[in-house]
Amino acid sequence: MELTPPGPRGIPPLFARLVDDSALFPPGDATMPEALKGHFETRAGEHAGVLGVFLCQASRLPELITELIKIRPKEPLPLSLIIDTGLGGVPKAISIVESRNELLALRMVEMPAPSDVDEVWLERVSEFVPEDVVRVVEPRRGVGWLDGVRKVIEHGSWPKIRCGGLSRENFPSVDEVADFLSVVSSFSGAAFKATNSLHRAVRHVDADSGFEHHGFLNLLVASARCLSGGNVRDALASTDGEALASEAAELSDEAAKAVRAVFASYASATFDEPIADLKGLGLL
């Protein structure tokens, strides 16, 4: 499902609407006024075509609406609703969003799955979320994780992979990410979303934490190789930005769109860093 029109102003198809705005979430933790100000400035800027939806917790909807009333945006804010109130809170949250359709355009609903991805639970997700809204469900990594990913896809939702966080355990290994991509690509028409610690394009060691971070360009190239039968693990493990950029640049528009039909988007608390990396690699 295409969430928004193709990126304007000559943005390559591989990067159109790639970066969802999670400025409200760690490590960003912006205030609501700060997050919205930054979002609308980006949406009016040179690289607006790379920007996807704005992420907001269900518990903060009243705060979001209050600030939007002050801003009076020309068009409704494309929104991904992050469910932090439990599955039972979904209908009320969606009702609130839909009652303010002059301010908000609901594009996506995201939520963590229970430890055991239950069929009944997934059916309720399908019932609660309108058909024209993307459902994103995050199975918890661990025993049976990939079975959960399969169930999520079979129920018509996008699985989400968390690529980092505040502790080393939050970072999946190259093998785990490769296995996840293999499962997703084995389903015709399946797509996934990624989140956390993907603000840089290329795999690297963070100087402050010492954690090895995945790169979003690694994920894009790995997804392309998944579709073409290439070496996915090597793409995920690579720290050679020039080689990754060269491979990405060589993708035809058709191939790039096929990659993005699988790797739909990822959430980043910063927009400047992904853009700076893409420009530095000659991709924007």
Side-chain angles (χ1 to χ4, degrees), residues 29-233:
D29 289 326
T31 65
M32 189 68 73
E34 289 170 345
L36 287 172
K37 180 176 184 290
H39 185 87
F40 284 114
E41 285 177 353
T42 298
R43 198 162 283 285
E46 179 184 1
H47 300 105
V50 181
L51 183 64
V53 295
F54 182 82
L55 276 61
C56 181
Q57 303 94 328
S59 62
R60 298 184 70 176
L61 271 176
E63 186 184 356
L64 173 63
I65 290 167
T66 297
E67 289 303 320
L68 286 174
I69 289 170
K70 296 176 186 175
I71 294 170
R72 296 182 181 179
K74 293 178 182 177
E75 296 179 351
L77 176 71
L79 175 69
S80 179
L81 189 61
I82 309 299
I83 303 302
D84 60 346
T85 53
L87 184 59
V90 172
K92 181 180 179 182
I94 290 177
S95 177
I96 291 170
V97 173
E98 292 181 337
S99 72
R100 303 312 301 254
N101 59 11
E102 79 283 7
L103 299 174
L104 295 167
L106 185 62
R107 297 283 185 258
M108 186 180 290
V109 174
E110 305 181 46
M111 66 193 81
S115 53
D116 176 22
V117 184
D118 179 81
E119 303 275 351
V120 175
W121 185 89
L122 286 167
E123 286 293 342
R124 291 184 71 199
V125 172
S126 300
E127 291 169 9
F128 288 164
V129 180
E131 286 187 7
D132 61 346
V133 175
V134 174
R135 304 183 300 272
V136 182
V137 174
E138 180 186 349
R140 189 180 304 174
R141 270 192 307 118
V143 178
W145 173 55
L146 295 176
D147 286 337
V149 171
R150 291 185 186 93
K151 288 179 184 177
V152 168
I153 296 170
E154 288 165 354
H155 276 77
S157 297
W158 292 0
K160 179 160 68 174
I161 182 168
R162 187 168 298 271
C163 291
L166 300 177
S167 68
R168 197 176 298 276
E169 292 71 31
N170 294 133
F171 290 80
S173 68
V174 163
D175 283 346
E176 285 175 313
V177 178
D179 290 343
F180 174 87
L181 291 178
S182 177
V183 169
V184 175
S185 64
S186 70
F187 287 85
S188 175
F192 75 92
K193 179 170 183 175
T195 190
N196 277 51
S197 304
L198 284 169
H199 50 287
R200 301 298 303 273
V202 180
R203 186 175 183 85
H204 65 283
V205 175
D206 181 78
D208 294 329
S209 67
F211 299 156
E212 194 163 17
H213 285 235
H214 295 280
F216 67 83
L217 185 59
N218 295 77
L219 264 179
L220 286 167
V221 172
S223 297
R225 290 190 186 182
C226 218
L227 295 174
S228 64
N231 191 318
V232 173
R233 283 169 171 76

